[in-house]
Amino acid sequence: MENRTRWTLAVLVFVAVDAMSLQIRGALLPSIAEAFSVSEGALGLVAPAGTVGFLVAVLAVGMVAGRVPIRRALVGGVACAALFLGAMAVAPSYWPFLLLLFVHGAALGVFRGLDRVLLSHLYPDRRGSVFNLHSLAWALGAVSGPALVALVLPRADWQVVFALVALGFLPVLVLLRGLSVPESVRNERPLSLSAVPDLLRKRSILGMSLALLCVGGIEGTVFTWLPYYASTSLPPATAALALSAYLLAYIPGRIAYTTLADRVAYRPLLLVISTLAVPASYLAFVVAEGGTLLLSVFVLGLFVSGLFPTLSAVGVDAVPEYSGPASAVSTAATYVGIAVVPPIVGLVAERESIAVAMGVPVVLLGLVTLVVAWLWLAGPE
């Protein structure tokens, strides 16, 4: 197996298992609460504990990607991610569990701060396609995580889920064993601290960041509030399927964009899918009820699934020699949106109603479309 293929497979397998480790957390919350006898308020720390560690590591490693020994960092990230996820299964109490989750998130962030850097230099002429393939691997893992929980819980304790996902990282270590860093990766240049403001002011990076901040807000709202909103017009058991329908759409969507990104320029492709996503979101979050809601969120997922990877490719293409910092900025912008917007939606729902609050992602998709139109009309910078 050639060097580039093994690197690519290692990244894709890691991303899929990473997504599984993220999505099992929510599915296991009731079991974790029962095992550690914690309140809902304390249980709410699960999401930030993993996310903060991840985000700090992504930014720290991505910004200095040109100085990092990439293979050693990736192997360390994989090994620590597996080790600390497995340790969470035997945590003696809730607070050590959260600490292990923080460190696990940081280990994931070390790898994720470098994975698209590697792919960017391995496939310099196909970034949009490969980034969509990367996101397809994430979608497959994300869908598989809750399914694994549903399969294991009737037969074993919740700790078994963490142990099984930890084992999923081992094939990545096998693939990385003995690999040499491709010569093309040496084109990654170190970024000085004084150069960061200039990088962020570039039109492509600024536009990518603004758009991804909105995209993160859209995805965070859907991940957090869609089942709750769906329960207003569907039985609880069926309402839970709304999020599954949305996530499932990411798989065919990203398969399609992996192909389209090789054939269509990124900016017009983004303008088409973001424009189509606006009426799709209006249908899903304002008009549709009952069974129609499930179909409409699936259609919305088809469009939204192409936004993050293709926008990321726009940013990296603008500064290919700084793909690490550009990738770190794209990930950070997305996760800030994921963290900030869902609480705002909650406040609107408390003051008005969840039906009114679900108008927020419709507005955000409109903003994404405006930013993408500006990027296309203004041209690259």
Side-chain angles (χ1 to χ4, degrees), residues 314-352:
V314 168
V316 173
D317 260 12
V319 285
E321 70 279 18
Y322 297 125
S323 59
S327 295
V329 168
S330 69
T331 302
T334 305
Y335 272 79
V336 168
I338 288 173
V340 170
V341 174
I344 295 173
V345 171
L347 289 174
V348 175
E350 185 176 341
R351 290 174 178 269
E352 301 292 337

Side-chain angles (χ1 to χ4, degrees), residues 116-314:
R116 278 185 292 146
V117 177
L118 189 66
L119 293 177
S120 171
H121 291 292
L122 287 175
Y123 301 92
D125 299 323
R126 300 185 58 209
R127 289 191 181 98
S129 174
V130 173
F131 284 6
N132 272 285
L133 183 62
H134 176 279
S135 294
L136 170 62
W138 185 94
L140 289 168
V143 172
S144 302
L148 178 65
V149 173
L151 183 67
V152 170
L153 282 188
R155 299 168 176 82
D157 293 335
W158 63 272
Q159 291 94 334
V160 174
V161 179
F162 281 100
L164 288 174
V165 177
L167 291 174
F169 288 109
L170 298 184
V172 183
L173 290 174
V174 173
L175 286 166
L176 291 176
R177 187 171 180 269
L179 274 181
S180 59
V181 177
E183 186 63 32
S184 58
V185 178
R186 305 185 196 283
N187 294 328
E188 182 73 20
R189 291 171 54 190
L191 181 70
S192 65
L193 190 61
S194 61
V196 172
D198 290 336
L199 176 73
L200 296 178
R201 279 194 294 267
K202 283 185 172 290
R203 184 185 299 118
S204 295
I205 300 296
L206 178 60
M208 174 197 72
S209 302
L210 292 173
L212 285 176
L213 188 66
C214 295
V215 171
I218 294 158
E219 293 191 321
T221 299
V222 172
F223 295 161
T224 305
W225 290 105
L226 179 57
Y228 184 83
Y229 171 67
S231 68
T232 61
S233 62
L234 289 167
T238 308
L241 295 175
L243 183 55
S244 298
Y246 177 83
L247 283 172
L248 191 63
Y250 273 39
I251 296 173
R254 282 173 172 166
I255 290 172
Y257 298 125
T258 297
T259 302
L260 285 170
D262 273 342
R263 292 166 170 77
V264 182
Y266 301 154
R267 287 171 171 82
L269 175 61
L270 282 166
L271 186 58
V272 169
I273 61 178
S274 62
T275 301
L276 292 173
V278 175
S281 66
Y282 183 82
L283 177 64
F285 301 139
V286 179
V287 177
E289 294 182 349
T292 309
L293 177 62
L294 298 179
L295 177 60
S296 62
V297 296
F298 181 86
V299 172
L300 176 62
L302 289 174
F303 296 129
V304 174
S305 65
L307 294 176
F308 171 77
T310 313
L311 280 163
S312 299
V314 168

